[in-house]
Amino acid sequence: MSDPTHPTQLQPHERARLSALEQTVRDGLRDFRRTGQALSEIRDNEFFLATHDSFEAYLQDRWGFTAPQAGRLIDAADVAKVLEPLGIQPKNEAQARSYRAAAKVIEELEPEQQRVIARLVEAAAPDTRPGAEGETDGEADLPWDVPAAEVRIMASVVKKMQPDALVHHPDSGDEVPFDTLSNPERFEVIRTHVDQKTQAYREKQEAKANAPQAEKINWADWVLNTAAQNLGHGQRLEITVEPDGSGAARAVARIVDGGTGEVLSAGAGAVTLKKAVLNLAAELK
């Protein structure tokens, strides 16, 4: 909450900087980079103490933001800052945050390694020069043709290429230490590894997309429909929960003859009611 009776006195240069930062937030609410960077500086320098006793109160009173909202903007701005030297310019906060895992790896790399990733990104993206195949009306959409997962693969491969790492020479195929190769040879080795891992990733994603989708069952509706439509005279559908002897409990769904108590069908036990019912549904199939 604001505390006008006990404000923290800022130095003149701090007040000027706070004013400039708030103007940035005010003017740049549609620009997540500028907004996130400004909020980060206000937080890190505790400029908010000029009017509020916490950053959270400042966010709510001044901008109508919650702390998680501001945190996402700040995170996205931090990611965009890491990506910018690679030629990747996210169009919005969500796109930026999708690269968060890749950016975390990239931050750990040396400048020369980051330049290698920039070359890999450039090589992986389509040519958007005027007249080139894949051109998009002159707009450089090229970074968004390199998915976040693939940029992370690039960063991971570069990170693993330590000087003493044994690799295959791009010409002879002999196994040699990475640091014995020339710069062009190193890049060729890295690109080969990236291509192999990227292809494996794409094949895995394609297989996942083409895999038969498991039938989705609303377990509660299935219980009622099965009871109403499929149970014979005197039969009942039971869901029982019993201790399993280890201090936990297991649920079992089964169909029982009401007269004799005979279990006509039962699913495997499970730790949730939903799973128990789905196990029975699978058994009946």
Side-chain angles (χ1 to χ4, degrees), residues 1-4 7-8 22 47-53 58 62:
M1 297 177 62
S2 59
D3 186 3
T8 295
E22 290 193 329
F47 289 158
F48 58 86
L49 292 176
T51 53
H52 295 75
D53 58 14
Y58 167 80
R62 191 78 174 88

Side-chain angles (χ1 to χ4, degrees), residues 241-253:
V241 180
E242 300 174 352
D244 64 1
S246 66
R250 295 185 71 79
V252 176

Side-chain angles (χ1 to χ4, degrees), residues 8-280:
T8 295
Q9 296 297 318
L10 300 182
Q11 296 297 319
H13 70 280
E14 291 176 322
R15 288 198 300 271
R17 184 58 183 161
L18 173 60
S19 178
L21 291 169
E22 290 193 329
Q23 187 63 44
T24 294
V25 176
R26 187 179 300 107
D27 293 344
L29 288 177
R30 294 184 179 181
D31 183 340
F32 74 91
R33 296 178 191 82
R34 296 179 63 210
T35 302
Q37 290 167 4
L39 290 174
S40 177
E41 189 172 341
I42 292 171
R43 178 197 63 189
D44 294 346
N45 290 284
E46 297 187 338
F47 289 158
F48 58 86
L49 292 176
T51 53
H52 295 75
D53 58 14
S54 72
F55 186 52
E56 291 75 11
Y58 167 80
L59 290 171
Q60 185 62 50
D61 288 353
R62 191 78 174 88
W63 307 110
F65 288 171
T66 63
Q69 285 175 317
R72 287 192 294 269
L73 280 167
I74 292 170
D75 285 347
D78 289 342
V79 170
K81 186 176 180 180
V82 174
L83 298 177
E84 188 174 2
L86 308 181
I88 299 178
Q89 298 180 358
K91 294 182 176 67
N92 55 51
E93 172 198 333
Q95 287 179 336
R97 287 191 293 111
S98 72
Y99 280 75
R100 188 178 183 182
K104 185 176 180 180
V105 179
I106 293 168
E107 282 185 299
E108 299 172 355
L109 302 179
E110 298 295 330
E112 179 57 35
Q113 293 174 306
Q114 294 180 8
R115 285 191 286 271
V116 171
I117 297 173
R119 288 184 63 191
L120 291 167
V121 168
E122 183 179 8
D127 194 343
T128 57
R129 293 171 301 176
E133 185 177 355
E135 178 195 350
T136 56
D137 298 327
E139 182 179 351
D141 286 333
L142 117 172
W144 297 108
D145 289 317
V146 186
E150 297 186 13
V151 174
R152 186 179 182 183
I153 290 173
M154 296 173 185
S156 297
V157 169
V158 171
K159 183 179 179 180
K160 289 179 180 178
M161 290 298 171
Q162 299 298 315
D164 58 350
L166 294 178
V167 298
H168 292 286
H169 194 287
D171 296 326
S172 67
D174 295 336
E175 196 171 55
V176 297
F178 184 67
D179 63 353
T180 64
L181 301 176
S182 66
N183 285 337
E185 290 169 342
R186 292 179 187 181
F187 182 76
E188 187 61 32
V189 167
I190 290 173
R191 185 163 64 174
T192 297
H193 279 250
V194 168
D195 288 346
Q196 292 171 347
K197 290 184 177 295
T198 299
Q199 183 61 30
Y201 166 78
R202 290 174 178 174
E203 290 174 357
K204 183 177 180 180
Q205 293 300 107
E206 183 177 0
K208 183 177 180 181
N210 294 332
Q213 298 297 311
E215 183 180 359
K216 294 183 178 180
I217 301 175
N218 183 308
W219 69 277
D221 288 346
W222 184 90
V223 168
L224 294 176
N225 290 336
T226 299
Q229 301 173 13
N230 299 312
L231 295 186
H233 179 70
Q235 296 177 351
R236 62 175 180 262
L237 193 158
E238 297 180 342
I239 303 175
T240 61
V241 180
E242 300 174 352
D244 64 1
S246 66
R250 295 185 71 79
V252 176
R254 55 197 176 195
I255 295 177
V256 178
D257 186 298
T260 65
E262 178 187 1
V263 176
L264 304 176
S265 185
V271 296
T272 65
L273 298 180
K274 175 181 178 180
K275 182 59 177 175
V277 169
L278 295 181
N279 286 347
L280 175 59

